[in-house]
């Protein structure tokens, strides 16, 4: 008992493990307050409870902002909501529960086994993405829900981070937040493990909502920093004129199974 060692999993250790990218160890910090430094940001997080409220917020964003941070929530390539950020004081999440069969529902031979997907918000997002500049994280996962005639209005933080340092292991929102904003946020593995978005949201809705709102904030907050670093490195034109259009070409090829 006298030789027992404990007290390793502290906020300081969590920060160090984040910096060293020891992601498999982060699961041991469940009982540690790792997010107190972000309380000023989190107090502006808002979850939109219904479709009509979401439509109002999106309409306001379209009128008041020339660029936004946007993350699309998907499961099995279907729209399940969004996280959107216009500034540090305007960070929202809307979650749309997946449609499916009603329990004990009786179907005739002429009925579909799946309910029709609700695309009202998804359609509105696509419309807005043609009117404002959109910053996101890993745009290839978002393209299906954006207007894609061209990519001049889009900025992918993951692609920018890769161009600046192609030798890193990770280019997710968590790594970008730490390296370029000095911000420690929850990682994907910490929040989801092996769960889908729907499974995780059902079990831990607050944690999942915070994860996506952090991602939306990082997307727009890191844009200015990353663009400045790209310009300094002489790669801003490469990013905008070659890499972003190429990202859509690659998405389109993957979609077609090429």
């Amino acid at each position: 008992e006298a030789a027992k060692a404990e007290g390793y999993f502290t906020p300081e250790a969590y920060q160090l493990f984040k910096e060293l990218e020891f992601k498999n160890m982060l699961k041991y910090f469940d009982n540690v307050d790792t997010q107190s430094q972000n309380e000023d940001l989190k107090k502006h997080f808002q979850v939109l409870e219904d479709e009509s409220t979401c439509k109002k917020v999106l309409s306001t964003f379209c009128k008041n902002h020339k660029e936004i941070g946007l993350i699309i929530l998907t499961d099995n390539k279907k729209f399940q909501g969004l996280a959107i950020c216009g500034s540090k004081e305007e960070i929202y999440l809307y979650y749309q529960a997946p449609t499916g069969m009603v329990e004990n529902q009786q179907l005739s031979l002429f009925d579909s086994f799946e309910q029709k997907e609700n695309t009202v918000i998804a359609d509105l997002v696509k419309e807005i993405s043609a009117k404002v500049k959109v910053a996101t994280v890993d745009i290839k996962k978002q393209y299906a829900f954006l207007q894609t005639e061209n990519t001049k209005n889009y900025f992918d933080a993951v692609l920018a981070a890769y161009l600046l340092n192609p030798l890193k292991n990770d280019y997710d929102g968590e790594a970008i937040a730490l390296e370029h904003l000095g911000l420690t946020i929850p990682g994907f593995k910490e929040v989801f493990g092996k769960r889908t978005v729907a499974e995780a949201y059902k079990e831990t809705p607050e944690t999942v909502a915070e994860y996506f709102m952090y991602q939306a904030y990082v997307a727009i907050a890191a844009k200015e920093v990353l663009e400045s670093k790209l310009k300094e490195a002489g790669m801003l034109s490469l990013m905008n004129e070659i890499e972003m259009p190429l990202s859509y070409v690659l998405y389109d090829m993957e979609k077609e199974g090429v």
Side-chain angles (χ1 to χ4, degrees), residues 19 22 41 49 63 75 107 121 129 137 172 176:
E19 292 175 2
F22 293 167
L41 180 62
E49 299 295 344
K63 294 176 181 177
D75 247 347
L107 298 176
I121 299 300
S129 71
V137 176
D172 51 20
I176 292 167

Side-chain angles (χ1 to χ4, degrees), residues 9-254:
F9 302 108
T10 63
E12 293 77 15
Y14 178 85
Q15 180 70 22
L16 180 61
F17 280 24
K18 281 273 192 179
E19 292 175 2
L20 296 175
E21 299 183 3
F22 293 167
K23 294 187 177 182
N24 289 334
M25 297 293 293
L26 298 178
K27 61 186 177 182
Y28 299 110
F29 289 85
D30 288 344
N31 297 321
V32 175
D33 179 13
T34 58
Q35 297 302 317
S36 57
Q37 62 173 307
N38 300 337
E39 288 305 316
D40 184 53
L41 180 62
K42 287 171 59 178
K43 70 182 181 182
H44 298 294
F45 287 179
Q46 296 185 55
V47 176
L48 307 174
E49 299 295 344
D50 55 69
E51 185 179 286
S52 62
T53 304
C54 182
K55 289 169 68 176
K56 291 178 182 178
V57 168
L58 291 176
S59 177
T60 300
F61 264 60
C62 191
K63 294 176 181 177
N64 297 344
H65 296 285
K66 294 182 179 179
E67 58 182 18
I68 60 174
L70 177 67
I71 303 293
I72 305 295
L73 283 62
T74 64
D75 247 347
N76 295 321
K77 299 182 180 180
K78 291 185 177 181
F79 180 88
Q80 271 193 237
L82 61 93
I84 189 169
C85 177
S87 68
K88 192 175 181 179
E89 290 77 33
E90 301 170 286
I91 310 171
Y92 300 93
L93 177 127
Y94 171 70
Y95 177 72
Q96 181 174 292
T99 57
M101 289 177 59
V102 178
E103 189 175 359
N104 299 322
Q105 179 182 8
Q106 298 296 317
L107 298 176
S108 75
L109 292 174
F110 303 99
D111 287 329
S112 170
F113 281 90
E114 293 185 0
Q115 294 179 0
K116 186 177 180 180
E117 186 178 2
N118 183 351
T119 64
V120 173
I121 299 300
D123 292 342
L124 186 55
V125 168
K126 182 165 286 191
E127 180 182 330
I128 289 173
S129 71
K131 299 178 180 179
V132 300
K133 292 185 177 181
V134 174
T136 189
V137 176
D138 198 354
I139 198 166
K140 285 204 295 182
K141 295 180 180 178
Q142 325 284 326
Y143 270 135
F145 305 97
L146 302 174
Q147 289 281 12
T148 52
E149 282 76 8
N150 59 66
T151 60
K152 67 178 181 179
N153 282 345
Y154 302 144
F155 181 86
D156 184 4
V158 167
L159 186 51
Y162 171 77
L163 288 177
L164 289 167
N165 187 354
L167 300 180
K168 282 179 61 69
N169 292 325
D170 294 300
Y171 300 93
D172 51 20
E174 172 193 6
I176 292 167
L178 186 60
E179 181 176 358
H180 299 284
L181 298 175
L183 183 67
T184 301
I185 65 174
F188 183 88
K189 289 183 178 179
E190 293 173 71
V191 174
F192 294 95
K194 296 183 179 179
R195 300 178 299 176
T196 65
V197 171
E199 291 169 344
Y201 201 92
K202 184 176 181 180
E203 295 170 6
T204 53
E206 183 176 338
T207 302
V208 174
E210 287 182 359
Y211 169 82
F212 283 114
M213 285 188 279
Y214 273 126
Q215 296 287 311
Y217 171 75
V218 168
I220 191 66
K223 180 178 183 288
E224 183 177 355
V225 176
L226 291 167
E227 283 187 328
S228 177
K229 291 181 179 180
L230 286 168
K231 185 176 182 179
E232 185 178 338
M235 293 192 293
L236 187 57
S237 294
L238 173 65
M239 171 73 177
N240 294 332
E241 297 173 15
I242 297 177
E243 295 295 341
M244 284 304 301
L246 180 59
S247 71
Y248 179 73
V249 172
L250 294 174
Y251 155 77
D252 199 42
M253 290 172 65
E254 292 174 5

